[in-house]
Amino acid sequence: MSGKHDSPQVRVADAAGIAAAAALLRGGGLVAVPTETVYGLAARADSADAVAAIYRAKGRPDFNPLIVHVPDLARAEELVMIDDRARKLAAAFWPGALTMVLPLRDGARIAPAVTAGLPTLALRCPAHPAMRALLEEGDLALAAPSANRSGGVSPTTAAHVVQSLGEQVPLVLDGGACAAGIESTIVALRADGSWQVLRPGPITEAQISAILGAPAGLVTSDRIEAPGQLASHYAPGKPVRLNAAAAHPDEFLIGFGPVAGAVSLSSAGDLAEAAARLYDCLHQAAGAAQPRIAIAPIPDEGIGIAINDRLRRAAV
Ligand code: TXA
Ligand code: MG
């Protein structure tokens, strides 16, 4: 499957829309799907051709592996080795915004391009009802990175997907604005018993520590293990200045709390609201008349850690 579509079809994620999406996916096609974190660009994970179409549509470097989405833990067990730690984390956080990196099972039906050759697989069980219905109905494990051009700002509405990928995607399933608004937390559970957060997200390291204990073991500088963590990412296409108390004349200011701005992540200073609005504000800033973007300081606590991680990369 490849090729361009004059304009993507945007369909409400009702029963008929989900059935149409499932049929397209079964046939090896691409569908942009809503999740509680960000919109994903989905394809069946067992088809090399379907997965290749994701990389093409995103313009994604092919060393960057994809997250696979499953409806439940039983489905995950068919693909990876689930140990005690994974079982505990799944019980606590699935369905939800936690991705676990686990050893790939021998003979798992996963196209090699999904893992980019790694012996591990990143797996997530999403909570969005439309995505859950699609996973059940399609009876497929779905590879789905965020539904944006590689390196660009992630999409939290169907309109963002259309703006970013346009004719690259035949069907966008519209499930409304994403509730969490920021990509899942990625945790690697290592064979030596250690674990590490590879990408901060809605589930904090403190929440994971509360279940697994401290992330014992050597913390190595293996950030490239999650290549989505490359320094420049989430780029709005304009210079970004962080920790701004006020706007310069040529800046579009994104506010937070007492810093008002042209738009605000959360005038109440609520970090969950700020995460949910982050990418929409960056999309607005990218489309604004001002040639530069400034962003108010965000407290580096809770989900604020994930927000600041994304902002630092947007500012590179
Ligand atoms: O919230 C999310 O996770 C969204 C929604 C659509 O589910 N998906 C998402 O996927 O953010 P993507 O492809 O944009 O980010 C995938 C991240 C990348 O940083 C990638 O390097 C990392 O997951 N990753 C995938 N497989 C991995 C593996 N085997 N080991 C380490 N990191 C891996
Ligand atoms: Mg992404």
Side-chain angles (χ1 to χ4, degrees), residues 35 37-40 58 60 64-67 69 99 101 118 120-122 124 144-146 182-184 186 198-199 225-229:
T35 84
T37 58
V38 300
Y39 274 72
K58 286 195 54 129
R60 184 174 180 130
N64 199 347
L66 306 176
I67 293 174
H69 300 71
T99 294
V101 173
L118 295 171
T120 52
L121 181 66
R124 169 161 116 78
S146 51
I182 205 163
E183 293 85 349
S184 62
I186 302 179
L198 300 178
R199 177 176 73 184
E225 189 183 336
Q229 297 307 89

Side-chain angles (χ1 to χ4, degrees), residues 203-307:
I203 311 285
T204 62
E205 183 165 311
Q207 286 176 286
I208 298 171
S209 292
I211 289 173
L212 297 186
L218 269 185
V219 175
T220 51
S221 60
D222 53 356
R223 305 291 287 178
I224 197 69
E225 189 183 336
Q229 297 307 89
L230 294 176
S232 173
H233 207 78
Y234 316 102
K238 294 178 180 176
V240 175
R241 184 168 66 92
L242 304 179
N243 297 314
H248 299 158
D250 59 347
E251 287 175 338
F252 180 94
L253 177 64
I254 299 177
F256 176 83
V259 178
V263 293
S264 179
L265 291 171
S266 169
S267 44
D270 179 82
L271 287 171
E273 182 184 17
R277 289 181 41 73
L278 174 65
Y279 292 131
D280 190 53
C281 288
L282 284 173
H283 280 280
Q284 288 185 51
Q290 293 88 336
R292 295 171 175 276
I293 301 169
I295 304 180
I298 308 297
D300 210 33
E301 64 199 33
I303 197 174
I305 294 169
I307 296 173

